């Protein structure tokens, strides 16, 4: 207990110390190992800071894009022309999008060998789901609910990226979203804060490993702080307006989980939140993150987001924007050219306190020390390692493993799946089946086009059946070039006839339909979320020829596929699964992997239901009041229920849930157990999910919330008792002042294989 207290005291002292550098780090002989380690870096940071001119300090806070503009408009002003000059003067602290050992070495050499103080650059890159070898899009990985596989996926991504000179990833994106129209849902973990928090932790641990100073670990970045996924109408970059309850209970928890897992950096966001652009919000960055949460790392802005405060109509000009951003707690300027050009004079004019600059610089230098860049700035620059690691078998195996686990079986009538391995005539239809680029999805800047295993290749790796392929129709017209807009207005149906003919001759038709990999991602919002182009018509035309259809979906967001659900006997949600996509899909279709994925996001029946999410509130009129009455919360043309709920997913076997028991351990601790039995014929995995409802509270609570899950693998007829412990963290919630409380009263638990779970029990918290 005594030690515990000492750590608490020392670490809060440290905040002050790190923030203002006034106290002596060795002032107390009570230092624990933890504080000694941190303080030794603080001493080095302070010593270096003391040597720096104001301009050199501001240089550390300046991040430049290397050589090509990947996202966002290229800056209109001519500042980009000064990048090399600034680099040589020591006015650049970080670069992004420089990649490959050769290139990274070049820029690092300028920083280390040509500047006065030789401070190494931190090299950032969007390693979102893999680097060269691509794992499933993050939303797909979230569908695995397999935290170990997700962590491993981040781990191997870090190994590949670090081998290529990168030491900082702008991931994980931990934005919660309830709107499938938003293109960046592909990049997150879905709609639920509990699942997303555990995934945030797994990803941070995967990227950063146990020791940040090793050459194969990289600093992670929790983004976008905060609210970006709640853009109005799902339109990217749009306004965000959310109440305190949603902010604290839904949006912030995954960020807090990333912070608790030791994430070294945060990124702020393009959006405004309740009238204040996130980049200029002291409430978010200073009060919550660096204050309440005691975050010790640094905050990078999103691309050009300091300047965007001007177009938000929040800042008068760039100088004003720079002043707002630094005062609000943004430490590093990504591509606004605002800090490098404006901060020094703002300090000289007394508009910005130099201690804020010192604090930002210390945070940035700290991470560079932690990465070991001062010991060896070229530690990530080893050509031999680069050659050996990229695309290695270990990495390929890890991305295949998580790809299989990410697949969700949505429907399987008459056990059409798994497919027989011998003697079948299989027609594969759909342009996406033969696409080796689209499965890489969005955000895979370093991966080469055409490097994914297509469904066709994956299926052909099994030799026992006769396979024919017909495209049927294109998914998009014209080029698919990042970051250009995709043209979806496909009208050409000339491929239908031969696809229909192939379907007629086949025993089974496998149709691969959905979105191109670049239909989702940044700037890729859609107002209709059905199958793009003429794919729906193709599906209906093939259905007339042969009803034995397995529909394999490739997509970066939930789609509205109500017709398919009505008519098609088997539906497999295969997202965009990355480099090993085709093998993963084939192994599931043939039953070599029994699907175990569960949806991390609700699938609506139509787009008008959006935002639709399982953990909604009750409202005052949740059900029909009197027969025929209209006075309840509903639509006249569609039911309130989704097409597929959060947490839903089938297996080639079946499971039963029985013997739900609740056991009170203490005032604020309850144990819930349930018996899971494999009632089918094959071995399978089930994600046992526990949902909780606080029956009444001082702030209205959701109808249910995920508060525990466990993945269980069982042989046919085998059973297992699964036990969950619910304590304060699960029972409580944040009130409208941001305070976490457990309120006494009645709680209901629901346990089952999706958020529709009906097996229920109640308990009281005194
Ligand atoms: C995105 C960020 C990304 C940054 C750098 C921005 O457009 O919003 O998520 O990390 O670009 O590429």
């Amino acid at each position: 207990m005594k030690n515990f207290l000492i750590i608490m005291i020392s670490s809060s002292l440290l905040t002050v110390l790190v923030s203002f550098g006034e106290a002596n780090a060795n002032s107390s002989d009570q230092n624990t190992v933890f504080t000694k380690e941190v303080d030794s870096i603080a001493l080095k940071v302070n010593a270096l800071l003391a040597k720096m001119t104001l301009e050199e300090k501001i240089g550390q806070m300046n991040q430049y894009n290397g050589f090509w503009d990947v996202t966002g408009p290229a800056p209109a002003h001519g500042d980009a022309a000064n990048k090399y000059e600034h680099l040589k003067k020591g006015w650049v602290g970080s670069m992004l999008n420089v990649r490959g050992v050769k290139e990274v070495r070049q820029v690092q050499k300028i920083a280390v060998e040509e500047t006065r103080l030789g401070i190494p650059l931190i090299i950032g890159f969007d390693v979102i789901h893999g680097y060269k070898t691509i794992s499933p899009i993050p939303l797909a990985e979230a569908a695995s609910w397999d935290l170990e596989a997700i962590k491993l996926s981040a781990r191997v991504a870090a190994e590949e990226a670090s081998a290529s000179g990168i030491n900082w990833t702008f991931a994980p994106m931990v934005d919660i979203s309830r709107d499938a129209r938003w293109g960046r849902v592909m990049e997150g973990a879905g709609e639920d804060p509990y699942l997303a928090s555990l995934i945030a932790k797994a990803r941070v641990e995967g990227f950063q490993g146990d020791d940040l100073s090793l050459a194969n670990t990289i600093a992670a970045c929790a983004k976008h702080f905060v609210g970006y996924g709640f853009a109005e109408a799902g339109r990217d970059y749009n306004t965000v307006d959310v109440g305190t309850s949603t902010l604290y209970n839904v949006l912030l928890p995954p960020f807090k989980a990333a912070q608790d897992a030791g994430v070294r950096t945060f990124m702020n966001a393009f959006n405004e939140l309740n009238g204040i652009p996130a980049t200029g919000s002291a409430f978010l960055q200073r009060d919550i993150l660096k204050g309440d949460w005691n975050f010790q790392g640094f905050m990078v802005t999103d691309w050009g987001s300091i300047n965007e405060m001007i177009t938000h109509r929040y800042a008068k000009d760039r100088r004003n924007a720079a002043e707002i951003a630094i005062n609000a707690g943004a430490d590093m300027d990504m591509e606004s050219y605002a800090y490098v050009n404006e901060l020094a004079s703002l300090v000289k004019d007394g508009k910005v306190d130099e201690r804020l600059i010192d604090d930002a610089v210390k945070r940035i230098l700290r991470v560079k020390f932690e990465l070991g860049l001062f010991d060896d700035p070229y530690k990530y620059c080893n050509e031999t390692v680069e050659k050996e690691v990229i695309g290695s078998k270990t990495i390929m195996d890890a991305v295949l493993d998580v790809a299989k686990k990410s697949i969700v079986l949505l429907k399987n009538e008459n056990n059409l799946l798994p497919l027989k391995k011998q003697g079948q005539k299989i027609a594969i239809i759909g342009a996406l089946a033969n696409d080796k680029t689209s499965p890489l999805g969005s955000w895979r800047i370093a991966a080469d086009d055409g490097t994914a295993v297509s469904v066709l290749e994956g299926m052909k790796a099994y030799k026992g059946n006769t396979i024919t392929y017909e495209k049927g129709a294109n998914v998009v017209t014209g080029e698919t070039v990042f970051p250009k807009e995709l043209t979806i207005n496909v009208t050409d149906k000339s491929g239908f006839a031969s696809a229909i003919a192939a379907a007629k001759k086949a025993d089974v038709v496998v149709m691969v339909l959905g979105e191109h990999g670049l239909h989702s991602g940044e700037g890729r919002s859609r107002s209709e979320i059905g199958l793009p182009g003429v794919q729906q018509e193709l599906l209906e035309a093939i259905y007339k020829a042969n009803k034995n259809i397995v529909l394999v979906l490739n997509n970066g967001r939930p789609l509205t596929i109500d017709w398919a659900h009505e008519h098609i006997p088997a539906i497999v949600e295969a997202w965009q699964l990355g480099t090993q996509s085709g093998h993963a899909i084939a192994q599931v279709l043939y039953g070599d992997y029994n699907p175990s994925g569960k949806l991390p996001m609700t699938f609506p029946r139509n787009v008008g239901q959006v935002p639709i999410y399982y953990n909604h509130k009750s409202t005052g009129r949740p059900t029909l009041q009197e027969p025929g009455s209209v006075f309840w919360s509903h639509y006249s043309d569609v039911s309130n229920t989704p097409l597929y709920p959060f947490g839903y997913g089938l297996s080639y076997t079946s499971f039963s849930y029985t013997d739900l028991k609740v056991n009170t351990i203490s005032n604020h601790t309850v144990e819930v157990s349930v018996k899971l039995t494999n009632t089918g014929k094959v071995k399978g995995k089930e994600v046992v999910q526990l949902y909780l409802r606080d029956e009444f509270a001082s702030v209205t609570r959701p109808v249910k919330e995920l508060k525990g899950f466990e993945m269980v693998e069982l042989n046919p007829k085998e059973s297992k008792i699964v036990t969950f412990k619910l304590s304060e963290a699960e029972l409580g919630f944040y009130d409208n002042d941001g305070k976490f409380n457990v309120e006494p009263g009645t709680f209901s638990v629901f346990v089952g294989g999706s958020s529709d779970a009906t097996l229920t029990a109640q308990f009281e918290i005194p």
Side-chain angles (χ1 to χ4, degrees), residues 70-72 96-97 126 128 170 184 187 223-224 228 237 267 270 302-303 334 443 445 522:
V70 231
T71 55
L96 77 153
N97 292 326
D126 290 279
I128 306 297
F170 306 123
R184 294 191 85 166
E187 208 182 326
K223 70 187 188 186
H224 307 84
Y228 185 40
Y237 317 124
M267 184 185 289
F270 291 131
D302 203 345
W303 181 291
M334 180 194 285
W443 282 119
I445 304 166
E522 185 176 348

PDB file of all heavy atoms in Angstrom, residues 70-72 96-97 126 128 170 184 187 223-224 228 237 267 270 302-303 334 443 445 522, ligand 1:
ATOM      1  N   VAL A  70      -0.281  13.223 -49.636  1.00  0.00           N
ATOM      2  CA  VAL A  70      -1.170  12.062 -49.701  1.00  0.00           C
ATOM      3  C   VAL A  70      -2.616  12.410 -49.387  1.00  0.00           C
ATOM      4  O   VAL A  70      -3.536  11.977 -50.062  1.00  0.00           O
ATOM      5  CB  VAL A  70      -0.788  10.981 -48.673  1.00  0.00           C
ATOM      6  CG1 VAL A  70      -0.674   9.653 -49.330  1.00  0.00           C
ATOM      7  CG2 VAL A  70       0.370  11.386 -47.851  1.00  0.00           C
ATOM      8  N   THR A  71      -2.798  13.145 -48.319  1.00  0.00           N
ATOM      9  CA  THR A  71      -4.171  13.453 -47.940  1.00  0.00           C
ATOM     10  C   THR A  71      -4.291  14.955 -47.839  1.00  0.00           C
ATOM     11  O   THR A  71      -3.315  15.659 -47.657  1.00  0.00           O
ATOM     12  CB  THR A  71      -4.509  12.854 -46.566  1.00  0.00           C
ATOM     13  OG1 THR A  71      -3.563  13.318 -45.638  1.00  0.00           O
ATOM     14  CG2 THR A  71      -4.527  11.352 -46.597  1.00  0.00           C
ATOM     15  N   GLY A  72      -5.473  15.425 -47.948  1.00  0.00           N
ATOM     16  CA  GLY A  72      -5.701  16.841 -47.744  1.00  0.00           C
ATOM     17  C   GLY A  72      -5.160  17.653 -48.898  1.00  0.00           C
ATOM     18  O   GLY A  72      -4.261  17.211 -49.610  1.00  0.00           O
ATOM     19  N   LEU A  96       6.339  13.138 -41.955  1.00  0.00           N
ATOM     20  CA  LEU A  96       5.454  12.007 -42.208  1.00  0.00           C
ATOM     21  C   LEU A  96       5.507  11.652 -43.675  1.00  0.00           C
ATOM     22  O   LEU A  96       5.882  12.495 -44.510  1.00  0.00           O
ATOM     23  CB  LEU A  96       4.007  12.302 -41.788  1.00  0.00           C
ATOM     24  CG  LEU A  96       3.111  13.181 -42.657  1.00  0.00           C
ATOM     25  CD1 LEU A  96       1.654  12.796 -42.433  1.00  0.00           C
ATOM     26  CD2 LEU A  96       3.298  14.645 -42.318  1.00  0.00           C
ATOM     27  N   ASN A  97       5.163  10.404 -43.942  1.00  0.00           N
ATOM     28  CA  ASN A  97       5.130   9.896 -45.319  1.00  0.00           C
ATOM     29  C   ASN A  97       6.493   9.818 -45.996  1.00  0.00           C
ATOM     30  O   ASN A  97       6.570   9.737 -47.222  1.00  0.00           O
ATOM     31  CB  ASN A  97       4.154  10.712 -46.181  1.00  0.00           C
ATOM     32  CG  ASN A  97       2.730  10.479 -45.743  1.00  0.00           C
ATOM     33  OD1 ASN A  97       2.396   9.381 -45.315  1.00  0.00           O
ATOM     34  ND2 ASN A  97       1.899  11.495 -45.810  1.00  0.00           N
ATOM     35  N   ASP A 126       0.973   6.574 -41.619  1.00  0.00           N
ATOM     36  CA  ASP A 126      -0.320   5.951 -41.314  1.00  0.00           C
ATOM     37  C   ASP A 126      -0.229   4.437 -41.501  1.00  0.00           C
ATOM     38  O   ASP A 126      -0.601   3.913 -42.553  1.00  0.00           O
ATOM     39  CB  ASP A 126      -1.415   6.527 -42.209  1.00  0.00           C
ATOM     40  CG  ASP A 126      -1.732   7.964 -41.863  1.00  0.00           C
ATOM     41  OD1 ASP A 126      -2.492   8.182 -40.907  1.00  0.00           O
ATOM     42  OD2 ASP A 126      -1.209   8.891 -42.543  1.00  0.00           O
ATOM     43  N   ILE A 128      -2.065   1.811 -40.727  1.00  0.00           N
ATOM     44  CA  ILE A 128      -3.430   1.676 -40.200  1.00  0.00           C
ATOM     45  C   ILE A 128      -3.831   0.216 -40.073  1.00  0.00           C
ATOM     46  O   ILE A 128      -4.396  -0.209 -39.068  1.00  0.00           O
ATOM     47  CB  ILE A 128      -4.437   2.428 -41.094  1.00  0.00           C
ATOM     48  CG1 ILE A 128      -4.000   3.896 -41.264  1.00  0.00           C
ATOM     49  CG2 ILE A 128      -5.853   2.327 -40.552  1.00  0.00           C
ATOM     50  CD1 ILE A 128      -3.969   4.724 -40.004  1.00  0.00           C
ATOM     51  N   PHE A 170       0.256   6.690 -37.020  1.00  0.00           N
ATOM     52  CA  PHE A 170      -0.946   7.448 -36.670  1.00  0.00           C
ATOM     53  C   PHE A 170      -2.106   6.472 -36.519  1.00  0.00           C
ATOM     54  O   PHE A 170      -3.086   6.499 -37.273  1.00  0.00           O
ATOM     55  CB  PHE A 170      -1.244   8.497 -37.739  1.00  0.00           C
ATOM     56  CG  PHE A 170      -0.080   9.405 -38.027  1.00  0.00           C
ATOM     57  CD1 PHE A 170       0.434   9.531 -39.302  1.00  0.00           C
ATOM     58  CD2 PHE A 170       0.512  10.136 -37.002  1.00  0.00           C
ATOM     59  CE1 PHE A 170       1.512  10.363 -39.565  1.00  0.00           C
ATOM     60  CE2 PHE A 170       1.597  10.970 -37.253  1.00  0.00           C
ATOM     61  CZ  PHE A 170       2.099  11.082 -38.537  1.00  0.00           C
ATOM     62  N   ARG A 184     -15.077   6.609 -42.862  1.00  0.00           N
ATOM     63  CA  ARG A 184     -13.972   6.160 -42.004  1.00  0.00           C
ATOM     64  C   ARG A 184     -14.404   5.144 -40.960  1.00  0.00           C
ATOM     65  O   ARG A 184     -13.592   4.763 -40.110  1.00  0.00           O
ATOM     66  CB  ARG A 184     -13.285   7.372 -41.371  1.00  0.00           C
ATOM     67  CG  ARG A 184     -12.600   8.217 -42.421  1.00  0.00           C
ATOM     68  CD  ARG A 184     -11.703   9.275 -41.838  1.00  0.00           C
ATOM     69  NE  ARG A 184     -10.377   8.757 -41.546  1.00  0.00           N
ATOM     70  CZ  ARG A 184      -9.316   9.531 -41.287  1.00  0.00           C
ATOM     71  NH1 ARG A 184      -9.443  10.846 -41.284  1.00  0.00           N
ATOM     72  NH2 ARG A 184      -8.131   9.004 -41.019  1.00  0.00           N
ATOM     73  N   GLU A 187     -12.078   2.303 -40.543  1.00  0.00           N
ATOM     74  CA  GLU A 187     -10.791   2.487 -39.867  1.00  0.00           C
ATOM     75  C   GLU A 187     -10.888   2.323 -38.354  1.00  0.00           C
ATOM     76  O   GLU A 187      -9.882   2.360 -37.642  1.00  0.00           O
ATOM     77  CB  GLU A 187     -10.329   3.912 -40.200  1.00  0.00           C
ATOM     78  CG  GLU A 187      -8.869   4.145 -40.219  1.00  0.00           C
ATOM     79  CD  GLU A 187      -8.569   5.624 -40.507  1.00  0.00           C
ATOM     80  OE1 GLU A 187      -9.325   6.262 -41.266  1.00  0.00           O
ATOM     81  OE2 GLU A 187      -7.592   6.128 -39.954  1.00  0.00           O
ATOM     82  N   LYS A 223      -6.340   8.463 -32.177  1.00  0.00           N
ATOM     83  CA  LYS A 223      -6.927   9.581 -32.927  1.00  0.00           C
ATOM     84  C   LYS A 223      -8.400   9.289 -33.181  1.00  0.00           C
ATOM     85  O   LYS A 223      -8.804   8.129 -33.104  1.00  0.00           O
ATOM     86  CB  LYS A 223      -6.163   9.813 -34.235  1.00  0.00           C
ATOM     87  CG  LYS A 223      -6.352   8.717 -35.303  1.00  0.00           C
ATOM     88  CD  LYS A 223      -5.437   8.954 -36.481  1.00  0.00           C
ATOM     89  CE  LYS A 223      -5.735   8.010 -37.620  1.00  0.00           C
ATOM     90  NZ  LYS A 223      -4.780   8.106 -38.713  1.00  0.00           N
ATOM     91  N   HIS A 224      -9.211  10.265 -33.485  1.00  0.00           N
ATOM     92  CA  HIS A 224      -8.985  11.704 -33.582  1.00  0.00           C
ATOM     93  C   HIS A 224      -9.743  12.302 -32.414  1.00  0.00           C
ATOM     94  O   HIS A 224     -10.973  12.175 -32.362  1.00  0.00           O
ATOM     95  CB  HIS A 224      -9.512  12.258 -34.902  1.00  0.00           C
ATOM     96  CG  HIS A 224      -8.985  11.519 -36.117  1.00  0.00           C
ATOM     97  ND1 HIS A 224      -9.524  10.358 -36.609  1.00  0.00           N
ATOM     98  CD2 HIS A 224      -7.941  11.786 -36.949  1.00  0.00           C
ATOM     99  CE1 HIS A 224      -8.854   9.963 -37.686  1.00  0.00           C
ATOM    100  NE2 HIS A 224      -7.895  10.808 -37.908  1.00  0.00           N
ATOM    101  N   TYR A 228     -14.882  12.839 -33.974  1.00  0.00           N
ATOM    102  CA  TYR A 228     -14.819  12.850 -35.444  1.00  0.00           C
ATOM    103  C   TYR A 228     -15.814  11.867 -36.078  1.00  0.00           C
ATOM    104  O   TYR A 228     -16.383  12.124 -37.135  1.00  0.00           O
ATOM    105  CB  TYR A 228     -13.365  12.527 -35.832  1.00  0.00           C
ATOM    106  CG  TYR A 228     -13.006  12.583 -37.287  1.00  0.00           C
ATOM    107  CD1 TYR A 228     -13.491  13.565 -38.136  1.00  0.00           C
ATOM    108  CD2 TYR A 228     -12.107  11.643 -37.810  1.00  0.00           C
ATOM    109  CE1 TYR A 228     -13.111  13.610 -39.472  1.00  0.00           C
ATOM    110  CE2 TYR A 228     -11.719  11.684 -39.134  1.00  0.00           C
ATOM    111  CZ  TYR A 228     -12.225  12.662 -39.968  1.00  0.00           C
ATOM    112  OH  TYR A 228     -11.840  12.691 -41.285  1.00  0.00           O
ATOM    113  N   TYR A 237     -15.832  15.237 -42.116  1.00  0.00           N
ATOM    114  CA  TYR A 237     -15.405  16.575 -41.688  1.00  0.00           C
ATOM    115  C   TYR A 237     -16.573  17.456 -41.208  1.00  0.00           C
ATOM    116  O   TYR A 237     -16.376  18.632 -40.901  1.00  0.00           O
ATOM    117  CB  TYR A 237     -14.669  17.351 -42.813  1.00  0.00           C
ATOM    118  CG  TYR A 237     -13.670  16.550 -43.613  1.00  0.00           C
ATOM    119  CD1 TYR A 237     -13.762  16.452 -45.002  1.00  0.00           C
ATOM    120  CD2 TYR A 237     -12.614  15.884 -42.980  1.00  0.00           C
ATOM    121  CE1 TYR A 237     -12.837  15.724 -45.739  1.00  0.00           C
ATOM    122  CE2 TYR A 237     -11.679  15.160 -43.727  1.00  0.00           C
ATOM    123  CZ  TYR A 237     -11.799  15.074 -45.092  1.00  0.00           C
ATOM    124  OH  TYR A 237     -10.889  14.362 -45.823  1.00  0.00           O
ATOM    125  N   MET A 267      -3.772  12.351 -31.531  1.00  0.00           N
ATOM    126  CA  MET A 267      -3.982  13.302 -32.638  1.00  0.00           C
ATOM    127  C   MET A 267      -5.326  13.963 -32.412  1.00  0.00           C
ATOM    128  O   MET A 267      -6.296  13.291 -32.064  1.00  0.00           O
ATOM    129  CB  MET A 267      -3.990  12.571 -33.986  1.00  0.00           C
ATOM    130  CG  MET A 267      -4.103  13.519 -35.191  1.00  0.00           C
ATOM    131  SD  MET A 267      -4.270  12.635 -36.765  1.00  0.00           S
ATOM    132  CE  MET A 267      -2.635  11.954 -36.973  1.00  0.00           C
ATOM    133  N   PHE A 270     -10.283  17.073 -37.097  1.00  0.00           N
ATOM    134  CA  PHE A 270     -10.728  18.132 -38.005  1.00  0.00           C
ATOM    135  C   PHE A 270     -12.008  18.806 -37.527  1.00  0.00           C
ATOM    136  O   PHE A 270     -12.265  19.960 -37.828  1.00  0.00           O
ATOM    137  CB  PHE A 270     -11.028  17.532 -39.393  1.00  0.00           C
ATOM    138  CG  PHE A 270      -9.834  17.041 -40.154  1.00  0.00           C
ATOM    139  CD1 PHE A 270      -9.812  15.780 -40.731  1.00  0.00           C
ATOM    140  CD2 PHE A 270      -8.729  17.875 -40.342  1.00  0.00           C
ATOM    141  CE1 PHE A 270      -8.722  15.342 -41.466  1.00  0.00           C
ATOM    142  CE2 PHE A 270      -7.634  17.448 -41.074  1.00  0.00           C
ATOM    143  CZ  PHE A 270      -7.631  16.170 -41.637  1.00  0.00           C
ATOM    144  N   ASP A 302      -4.273  17.151 -36.512  1.00  0.00           N
ATOM    145  CA  ASP A 302      -4.526  16.468 -37.776  1.00  0.00           C
ATOM    146  C   ASP A 302      -4.033  17.377 -38.901  1.00  0.00           C
ATOM    147  O   ASP A 302      -3.708  18.555 -38.691  1.00  0.00           O
ATOM    148  CB  ASP A 302      -6.001  16.080 -37.931  1.00  0.00           C
ATOM    149  CG  ASP A 302      -6.144  14.914 -38.910  1.00  0.00           C
ATOM    150  OD1 ASP A 302      -5.174  14.620 -39.639  1.00  0.00           O
ATOM    151  OD2 ASP A 302      -7.213  14.293 -38.962  1.00  0.00           O
ATOM    152  N   TRP A 303      -3.981  16.807 -40.076  1.00  0.00           N
ATOM    153  CA  TRP A 303      -3.366  17.468 -41.236  1.00  0.00           C
ATOM    154  C   TRP A 303      -3.972  18.860 -41.472  1.00  0.00           C
ATOM    155  O   TRP A 303      -5.147  18.979 -41.829  1.00  0.00           O
ATOM    156  CB  TRP A 303      -3.584  16.588 -42.475  1.00  0.00           C
ATOM    157  CG  TRP A 303      -2.979  17.122 -43.732  1.00  0.00           C
ATOM    158  CD1 TRP A 303      -3.382  18.225 -44.434  1.00  0.00           C
ATOM    159  CD2 TRP A 303      -1.876  16.570 -44.444  1.00  0.00           C
ATOM    160  NE1 TRP A 303      -2.600  18.394 -45.533  1.00  0.00           N
ATOM    161  CE2 TRP A 303      -1.663  17.393 -45.577  1.00  0.00           C
ATOM    162  CE3 TRP A 303      -1.043  15.461 -44.254  1.00  0.00           C
ATOM    163  CZ2 TRP A 303      -0.662  17.131 -46.503  1.00  0.00           C
ATOM    164  CZ3 TRP A 303      -0.051  15.210 -45.184  1.00  0.00           C
ATOM    165  CH2 TRP A 303       0.141  16.045 -46.294  1.00  0.00           C
ATOM    166  N   MET A 334       0.932  19.539 -37.731  1.00  0.00           N
ATOM    167  CA  MET A 334       1.083  18.753 -38.957  1.00  0.00           C
ATOM    168  C   MET A 334       0.619  19.597 -40.142  1.00  0.00           C
ATOM    169  O   MET A 334      -0.574  19.844 -40.328  1.00  0.00           O
ATOM    170  CB  MET A 334       0.260  17.460 -38.889  1.00  0.00           C
ATOM    171  CG  MET A 334       0.353  16.585 -40.130  1.00  0.00           C
ATOM    172  SD  MET A 334      -0.906  15.273 -40.243  1.00  0.00           S
ATOM    173  CE  MET A 334      -0.345  14.074 -39.059  1.00  0.00           C
ATOM    174  N   TRP A 443      -6.460   3.259 -46.877  1.00  0.00           N
ATOM    175  CA  TRP A 443      -5.355   3.419 -45.923  1.00  0.00           C
ATOM    176  C   TRP A 443      -4.343   2.287 -45.997  1.00  0.00           C
ATOM    177  O   TRP A 443      -4.164   1.534 -45.043  1.00  0.00           O
ATOM    178  CB  TRP A 443      -5.881   3.525 -44.483  1.00  0.00           C
ATOM    179  CG  TRP A 443      -6.423   4.870 -44.153  1.00  0.00           C
ATOM    180  CD1 TRP A 443      -7.701   5.135 -43.771  1.00  0.00           C
ATOM    181  CD2 TRP A 443      -5.737   6.136 -44.144  1.00  0.00           C
ATOM    182  NE1 TRP A 443      -7.861   6.480 -43.554  1.00  0.00           N
ATOM    183  CE2 TRP A 443      -6.669   7.122 -43.777  1.00  0.00           C
ATOM    184  CE3 TRP A 443      -4.427   6.536 -44.450  1.00  0.00           C
ATOM    185  CZ2 TRP A 443      -6.336   8.477 -43.687  1.00  0.00           C
ATOM    186  CZ3 TRP A 443      -4.100   7.880 -44.361  1.00  0.00           C
ATOM    187  CH2 TRP A 443      -5.052   8.833 -43.981  1.00  0.00           C
ATOM    188  N   ILE A 445      -1.122   2.914 -47.737  1.00  0.00           N
ATOM    189  CA  ILE A 445      -0.277   3.747 -48.581  1.00  0.00           C
ATOM    190  C   ILE A 445       0.971   3.026 -49.094  1.00  0.00           C
ATOM    191  O   ILE A 445       1.379   3.203 -50.228  1.00  0.00           O
ATOM    192  CB  ILE A 445       0.132   5.019 -47.799  1.00  0.00           C
ATOM    193  CG1 ILE A 445      -1.131   5.740 -47.315  1.00  0.00           C
ATOM    194  CG2 ILE A 445       0.975   5.957 -48.648  1.00  0.00           C
ATOM    195  CD1 ILE A 445      -0.868   6.811 -46.268  1.00  0.00           C
ATOM    196  N   GLU A 522     -11.121   7.901 -45.782  1.00  0.00           N
ATOM    197  CA  GLU A 522     -11.278   9.343 -45.574  1.00  0.00           C
ATOM    198  C   GLU A 522     -11.905  10.018 -46.795  1.00  0.00           C
ATOM    199  O   GLU A 522     -11.515   9.739 -47.938  1.00  0.00           O
ATOM    200  CB  GLU A 522      -9.932   9.991 -45.259  1.00  0.00           C
ATOM    201  CG  GLU A 522     -10.120  11.460 -44.923  1.00  0.00           C
ATOM    202  CD  GLU A 522      -8.834  12.160 -44.509  1.00  0.00           C
ATOM    203  OE1 GLU A 522      -7.827  11.485 -44.255  1.00  0.00           O
ATOM    204  OE2 GLU A 522      -8.879  13.407 -44.437  1.00  0.00           O
TER     205      GLU A 522
HETATM  206  C1  LIG B   1      -6.160  12.063 -41.452  1.00  0.00           C
HETATM  207  C2  LIG B   1      -5.323  11.467 -40.351  1.00  0.00           C
HETATM  208  C3  LIG B   1      -3.987  11.042 -40.883  1.00  0.00           C
HETATM  209  C4  LIG B   1      -3.312  12.250 -41.484  1.00  0.00           C
HETATM  210  C5  LIG B   1      -1.931  11.963 -42.008  1.00  0.00           C
HETATM  211  C6  LIG B   1      -5.401  13.136 -42.206  1.00  0.00           C
HETATM  212  O1  LIG B   1      -6.081  13.504 -43.362  1.00  0.00           O
HETATM  213  O2  LIG B   1      -7.354  12.576 -40.923  1.00  0.00           O
HETATM  214  O3  LIG B   1      -6.011  10.386 -39.780  1.00  0.00           O
HETATM  215  O4  LIG B   1      -3.210  10.457 -39.887  1.00  0.00           O
HETATM  216  O5  LIG B   1      -4.111  12.715 -42.555  1.00  0.00           O
HETATM  217  O6  LIG B   1      -1.945  11.198 -43.134  1.00  0.00           O
END
